[in-house]
Amino acid sequence: MISLIVPCYNEEEALPIFYAEIKKVLGSMKTEYELIFVNDGSKDATLDILKELAKQDDGVVYLSFSRNFGKEAAMYAGFCNAHGEYVAVMDADMQDPPALLPDMLSILQQGEYDSVATRRVTRKGEPPIRSWFARRFYALINKISDADIVDGARDFRLMKKEMADAIVAMGEYNRFSKGIFGWIGYRTYWMPYENVNRIAGETKWNFWKLFKYAIDGVINFSQAPLSFASWFGIFMTVVSFFAVLFIVVRRMVFGDPVEGWASTACIIVFVGGVQLFCMGIMGQYIAKTYMEVKKRPHYIIAESNRADLEKVK
Ligand code: UDP
Ligand code: MG
């Protein structure tokens, strides 16, 4: 059996199109399936559509959250409740082409790989400035993190159950899936494809949200910003040592001209700024730690058509 996890947030327009398409693809694959739709607190008719689909199709499971918990939580709920031998995650907006699934499955069945991940090789249809920042982000995070994060990687991937179990075992509260997939390892086949635009509805990500998500990724998967603070501190200490030496020597050679108020003020302001910046970095890590130690659940399922569930986890 193959489990497909589909996070849905306000997808009333895209869902019927997605369902028709995935049904066609699954029909051609002749495998048993469970379609796990996770309704992430949608404010439109998404849940009604899902209920309707579940009535017509035994393979449809819906998990409906008590509020919007975000795509990461929706994917986690899917992983926690998937029973298939193979598990896949895909978006409801057709940006993850269902037509790739049969090829992905046959690669896994050959046994050489544990997961097949997709990577868009173009960013066609995306604002250029967003693409530029995205590329900088991937270059940076791969330098400073030990998780392997591939440029253009989508969350769309098909994996063996054991890999899905490893993802469930990564119970961290601050989730960054691209990092988690990379961190757990396993043999992954990368399948390239051309970027596809959303079929209907609107993206839930604006530039600012993506930017914050990127910062989250860095903080969750790297300690480099913390060591930056230490290295910069050492650098400043060395510089100030030579500055003191210079001033002492000048005092002995030229006497004591009282001047340099402006430069002193500049130095104080500069050092103060650097200190606040470094404290901010520390604060980011402390805030994440705070959220982790609270051990709040990732999601709460308020409604579902399945009885045996991890309702809160
Ligand atoms: N999504 C979700 N919860 C959210 C935001 C998005 O479950 O809070 C789902 C959404 O319904 C879609 C997928 O995550 O199936 C990807 O979202 P979107 O297409 O908006 O992101 P993009 O493809 O633009 O990165
Ligand atoms: Mg999308």
Side-chain angles (χ1 to χ4, degrees):
M1 182 166 81
I2 170 168
S3 303
L4 296 180
I5 302 166
V6 189
C8 306
Y9 178 52
N10 296 343
E11 297 288 4
E12 61 179 3
E13 286 165 65
L15 260 181
I17 308 171
F18 173 78
Y19 179 74
E21 181 69 23
I22 196 81
K23 215 33 209 176
K24 226 191 295 164
V25 173
L26 286 168
S28 73
M29 285 164 75
K30 299 192 182 63
T31 45
E32 262 188 80
Y33 65 88
E34 64 177 355
L35 263 169
I36 307 178
F37 290 101
V38 185
N39 172 35
D40 185 13
S42 300
K43 292 175 184 72
D44 62 1
T46 299
L47 182 57
D48 301 324
I49 294 173
L50 292 180
K51 282 180 176 166
E52 201 49 49
L53 292 178
K55 246 187 248 163
Q56 300 161 13
D57 183 345
D58 288 338
V60 170
V61 178
Y62 65 86
L63 316 174
S64 186
F65 284 177
S66 59
R67 64 170 170 87
N68 178 252
F69 280 88
K71 185 186 175 188
E72 291 287 347
M75 289 195 287
Y76 191 62
F79 279 119
C80 291
N81 292 293
H83 298 314
E85 186 189 345
Y86 298 103
V87 182
V89 190
M90 56 197 309
D91 290 0
D93 59 3
M94 305 284 285
Q95 281 193 291
D96 299 333
L100 296 179
L101 272 176
D103 284 345
M104 293 165 84
L105 184 63
S106 69
I107 290 173
L108 279 195
Q109 280 168 340
Q110 283 160 21
E112 206 182 316
Y113 295 99
D114 302 303
S115 88
V116 179
T118 57
R119 187 170 71 83
R120 8 177 223 184
V121 283
T122 56
R123 286 177 171 274
K124 205 171 54 195
E126 194 184 60
I129 178 120
R130 178 178 296 187
S131 302
W132 188 84
F133 270 99
R135 288 193 204 292
R136 292 288 80 71
F137 166 71
Y138 285 108
L140 174 74
I141 195 150
N142 276 308
K143 252 193 216 122
I144 62 177
S145 159
D146 42 337
D148 187 19
I149 297 167
V150 174
D151 187 359
R154 303 270 312 167
D155 289 335
F156 180 28
R157 54 169 81 207
L158 180 69
M159 64 196 85
K160 290 186 179 157
K161 175 76 171 143
E162 63 206 74
M163 190 164 164
D165 290 341
I167 292 167
V168 173
M170 298 273 284
E172 61 213 74
Y173 185 80
N174 298 288
R175 299 187 76 75
F176 181 68
S177 278
K178 290 181 186 12
I180 292 176
F181 292 148
W183 193 91
I184 57 174
Y186 288 99
R187 296 163 303 174
T188 300
Y189 178 86
W190 286 96
M191 187 179 265
Y193 75 101
E194 298 259 318
N195 190 34
V196 187
N197 281 338
R198 181 177 252 286
I199 191 113
E202 257 165 50
T203 174
K204 280 93 201 167
W205 296 87
N206 56 32
F207 183 80
W208 184 234
K209 256 180 141 175
L210 275 174
F211 186 74
K212 285 207 290 204
Y213 188 58
I215 301 271
D216 273 355
V218 170
I219 289 175
N220 285 330
F221 279 92
S222 170
Q223 270 112 46
L226 282 177
S227 17
F228 164 80
S230 327
W231 286 113
F232 201 75
I234 292 170
F235 171 75
M236 294 284 288
T237 312
V238 172
V239 169
S240 62
F241 174 78
F242 284 106
V244 167
L245 214 62
F246 170 76
I247 286 166
V248 167
V249 170
R250 196 177 62 167
R251 158 82 179 81
M252 296 200 301
V253 178
F254 297 105
D256 187 15
V258 179
E259 58 178 33
W261 180 88
S263 53
T264 312
C266 288
I267 290 166
I268 291 172
V269 170
F270 175 67
V271 173
V274 170
Q275 279 176 340
L276 279 181
F277 177 67
C278 293
M279 263 167 63
I281 293 178
M282 267 165 31
Q284 290 287 331
Y285 282 86
I286 293 171
K288 297 271 175 212
T289 315
Y290 179 55
M291 288 313 290
E292 291 296 341
V293 296
K294 282 201 210 191
K295 293 223 172 302
R296 283 185 180 162
H298 299 84
Y299 64 83
I300 300 169
I301 296 175
E303 222 185 313
S304 172
N305 60 340
R306 185 187 264 174
D308 60 325
L309 268 186
E310 300 250 27
K311 273 203 155 169
V312 178
K313 187 167 175 178

